[in-house]
Structures are given as C-alpha cells and as structure tokens.
Amino acid sequence: MRKIHLGYDLSWTHLEGRWRMPGSWSHATFPDMRIYREIAQIAERGLLDFLFFGDGNGIPSTYQGKRDGAVKWGLGWPRLDMSPYIAAMSQLTQHIGFGLTYSSTFMHPFYTARLLNSLDHVTGGRLAFNVIASSRRADAANYGFDELMEHARRYERMEEFMDVCFKLWASVEPDAMIWDRTTGQVADPHKVHAINHKGEFFSVAGPLASPPSPQGRPVIVQAGVSPRGVEAAAKFTDMIFASSPGLEKQVAHRKRIDDALVLQGRDPAGIGIIWDVVLIVGETEAEAKHRHKLLANALPPEALPVYLSHHSGFDMSKLPAQFTVNEINAEIVKSNASPVGFLNMAQMFDPDQQISRAEFFDAMADHATGADHAVVGDATQIADYLEETFVATGERGGFMIAHPTGVPRDLLNVIDFLVPELQRRGRYRTAYRGKTLRENLSDDE
Ligand SMILES: Cc1cc2nc3c(=O)[nH]c(=O)nc-3n(C[C@H](O)[C@H](O)[C@H](O)COP(=O)(O)O)c2cc1C
C-alpha cells in the first residue's frame, strides 16, 4: 500500500501569536535551541519525514511602508538562518530529514551549492532544499534591489541558478576521493571537473571544492503555483510543495503538474506533491475544536492588515472603501508580487464583486491565522481526510502540517494520535527504512 509522507512546518510556530498559545513552550522563547532540540526528538519519535523551515529575510514593511507593525506583533519577524539549527538538530537524531529554504532571486548558486553540500554531509544525507523565487519587497531591499525583479524573470533566474547548482553537485564524481594513506593521494584529478558555466545571470568556473555528499545533492523542492512557477518546478524538482485550497483544485493542480512534467520528458509517477495543510488533531473532536478556536484568536486585530499587506504585496492601509478583488490584484501584478497569491487569499469572494473594507477584513480574520482552512478533528477524522486527498491526487507524496496553534502540544497530538491511526490503516511507516531523506521519501511498498 502506498504510504503517506508527513512533514512538519516550523516556520511560524514562534510568530504571529502562536508562540503564546496554550500548549506552546512556557520556559523558552525563540530562538532558544532547547526548543528545537526537543522538537527534533519528538518528531523523530513519531517517524515524521522532515521538519521544514521556510524563509523570508526582510522585515515586512508593506503596511504603511513601515516595519513597526511587523516588529510590534512578530509578523514574519524575527527569523534566523536556520542552517546552524539544522546542523545541531541533526546531531541529536538519526533519521528525520530537514527542509531549508533559500532564495534563488538573491543568493549566489556557488555559495548555496557549497553550503547545502556541507549540510548534507553534517546531517548524513537528510537535507531538502526548498528553492524559492522571492516575491517580497522587504527581502529585495536587503540585496540591492529598489524594485522586485519581474515575476517571469525570477523564474528564469531560478532555472539558471539550479542548473549551476546541479552542475556543481556533479562536478566531483562519486568515486573521486581516494584518501590513500600509503601514497598520500587524496583524489583523482580526472574525476574533478570544472563546470565553466557562463549564463545570463551567473558565471561560475567550478568545480565545487567539496567531496560529494551522502545524497549527492539535497532533495529539491519547489512551490510554484503560477504557470511559469509550475514550468520551472517540472524542470528540476524531486518533490513539489503546494497549498490545500480544496480537493477539486488539488486534483486539478496535480493534473497541471503531471502535464508539465510530461512536457519536460519526466515521469510524473516519481514526483510526489506534499500538500501544505493546517491540521488540528485532538484526542477527541471536542478538544480539536477547542484548539481551533484558540487558533482563530491568535492574531490581535491591529496586526491583521499588517499581516495581509505582507502576504499579498498590497498596502492594506490604502484599500478603498469599496473595491473588487480583481482591481486590487491588478495593482499587485503591476508591482511584480505573486500574480496568484491575493486571488488565493481572497477566494471566498467573487473576484468581480464589489466589497467593502469591513467585509474584507471580517472574512480575512480567519484566513490570516489559517483557521478558515484548518482541518479539525480527532485522529480518525483527520486520517479520513488525509487518505481521501492522498488517493484522489494520485497517491504520491503526502502532507506538511502547517501553522499549528501551539508547539509542542500540536506536534505531540500528531505523533501520539494521528500517526498510530495512519499506521493502523497501513498508510504510514512503522520504522524508518532508509538512511537518507531521499530513501525515506520513497520507502513505499
Ligand atoms: C508549502 C509551501 C512553502 C513555501 N515556502 C516559502 C518560503 O519559505 N518563502 C517564500 O518566500 N515563499 C514560500 N512559498 C511560496 C512559493 O515559493 C511561491 O512563491 C508561491 O507558491 C507562489 O507561486 P508563484 O511564484 O508561481 O506565483 C511557499 C509555498 C508553499 C505552498
């Protein structure tokens, strides 16, 4: 039976009101390493596939053109580069994988390929790389851009960025290292190759100055939704991240991805989608509903427009008294943020319907915390939902549990209640079979 894979998204647990919810740590706050130490060990006890860290490295400042709201309410800030944390967590665990995010819009592929090679060594082959094309102005401003790079161009750069990374990861052949103590020979020069890449965005001689890592290269993940984003994903990803807007749309997205993969001459059977989903599991349905209510109130009202501005790319202090979703989206597209992000966010409205500011904020309050699209229930109800979605979308991949109310409580509920229920149904591993993350992600029978 095809197994469901599970990741856990830690990107927001310390932000956006979650950090003070009942069930979160009371003895420590971000970025205390004790929190991450405990998370890694709990997650591995539950046989999860990976822990995930998203990224954005500017302080959100879309709302009123100021950082104050984001800083005051902890919206998308603070964030650290989580690579040293992953290195530390990997030393306390043996099997769980780690997903790390870097932006191909700003980073250099030589530095990134080298860093990820080192992390793959440190973790013993348990690394995944979520490559993103950044759509946020606050991030761009830290890398010398006054304006965001045009959307399609960001994906051109991503494709060349990945091309360079792949060449660098292959530049030292798997059996190049010799380490012969008798002769003193370290490596075979015939198996270490320059890449001499000269492209539109990058010029990189190579080779990488590092021995090949356990996985050769990290598991590559990408989350494009727009046609250009999906095209890029189809060219190089091992696995796809996608949001969970409802079964019908997810079935359609799976089909879009499959078609795009076939166009690139790749076999869709080997490329899983990991659906990002807000899951609230309780020991009982009543307990889950209680935690859902807590989640809905996680964000103070004053923080709501700040949050929405950051995630849509539109300054919500400038919303007219009456507007349509399509009118606002046209402004967002002009500013080069995601062409689909706001449409997804405001999908409860007909995009041509006139709405008032009050109606909009009212509907968005539950959206901002994830409460409006949370799947809530006891282990049986949640396992039913996961199985139905998994089967309808081709039984490849699994789910990433996102935006929980409070960690560790919600993580413990997943591994103590949901995982055993999935195991009972034959849909979840009972032991890690592989050594590397790539092996564990494909350990179906
Ligand atoms: C599971 C998941 C994780 C994501 N992680 C990040 C992230 O860490 N940083 C970021 O800037 N965008 C992140 N995104 C956004 C995507 O990279 C992408 O920009 C978005 O889905 C819009 O697609 P498009 O660029 O094709 O319009 C994530 C999306 C999903 C579904």
Side-chain angles (χ1 to χ4, degrees), residues 118-332:
S118 303
L119 277 173
D120 203 46
H121 280 290
V122 170
T123 59
R126 291 187 277 146
L127 193 70
F129 170 34
N130 175 39
V131 57
I132 56 165
S134 295
S135 56
R136 295 185 184 132
R137 196 160 279 108
D139 297 13
N142 288 331
Y143 292 90
F145 294 93
D146 295 329
E147 289 298 323
L148 273 174
M149 195 184 291
E150 195 260 321
H151 182 262
R153 198 153 170 76
R154 292 204 293 270
Y155 278 106
E156 279 163 32
R157 182 174 157 119
M158 179 190 278
E159 286 173 2
E160 191 182 327
F161 180 99
M162 290 311 302
D163 182 37
V164 174
C165 286
F166 286 129
K167 286 179 185 161
L168 287 169
W169 287 323
S171 64
V172 181
E173 291 184 35
D175 58 350
M177 305 310 294
I178 293 174
W179 298 115
D180 187 325
R181 282 179 190 272
T182 315
T183 63
Q185 186 173 351
V186 169
D188 179 350
H190 296 109
K191 294 184 176 171
V192 178
H193 311 284
I195 69 165
N196 293 325
H197 175 93
K198 281 202 193 309
E200 198 189 339
F201 298 94
F202 308 108
S203 190
V204 180
L208 209 58
S210 348
S213 70
Q215 295 187 112
R217 57 183 170 81
V219 173
I220 309 295
V221 199
Q222 198 260 32
V225 180
S226 60
R228 189 63 187 87
V230 169
E231 184 191 336
K235 287 184 181 161
F236 57 74
T237 45
D238 296 318
M239 192 167 85
I240 309 255
F241 274 160
S243 57
S244 297
L247 192 54
E248 206 178 307
K249 288 187 177 162
Q250 287 167 253
V251 171
H253 192 57
R254 177 74 252 187
K255 166 112 184 32
R256 253 195 313 274
I257 299 275
D258 286 355
D259 292 347
L261 286 163
V262 170
L263 250 167
Q264 298 297 329
R266 300 180 70 200
D267 180 7
I271 314 287
I273 296 184
I274 298 284
W275 304 102
D276 188 67
V277 61
V278 182
L279 283 188
I280 303 183
V281 190
E283 185 168 7
T284 61
E285 187 183 355
E287 186 201 320
K289 283 187 168 158
H290 171 66
R291 292 198 65 72
H292 182 228
K293 216 162 152 193
L294 291 173
L295 177 68
N297 292 312
L299 212 58
E302 202 188 315
L304 179 63
V306 186
Y307 175 95
L308 296 174
S309 303
H310 176 52
H311 287 277
S312 65
F314 183 84
D315 180 355
M316 294 290 162
S317 68
K318 299 208 168 112
L319 265 188
Q322 291 277 332
F323 59 91
T324 72
V325 167
N326 270 340
E327 282 164 10
I328 301 301
N329 200 54
E331 295 293 314
I332 292 172

Side-chain angles (χ1 to χ4, degrees), residues 333-349:
V333 172
K334 258 195 263 166
S335 74
N336 288 330
S338 168
V340 289
F342 185 66
L343 295 180
N344 288 341
M345 189 185 265
Q347 61 179 299
M348 63 289 278
F349 296 108

Side-chain angles (χ1 to χ4, degrees), residues 398-415:
F399 301 86
M400 177 154 75
I401 300 165
H403 295 228
T405 308
V407 169
R409 166 58 52 215
D410 292 306
L411 174 60
L412 285 163
N413 284 359
V414 166
I415 71 161

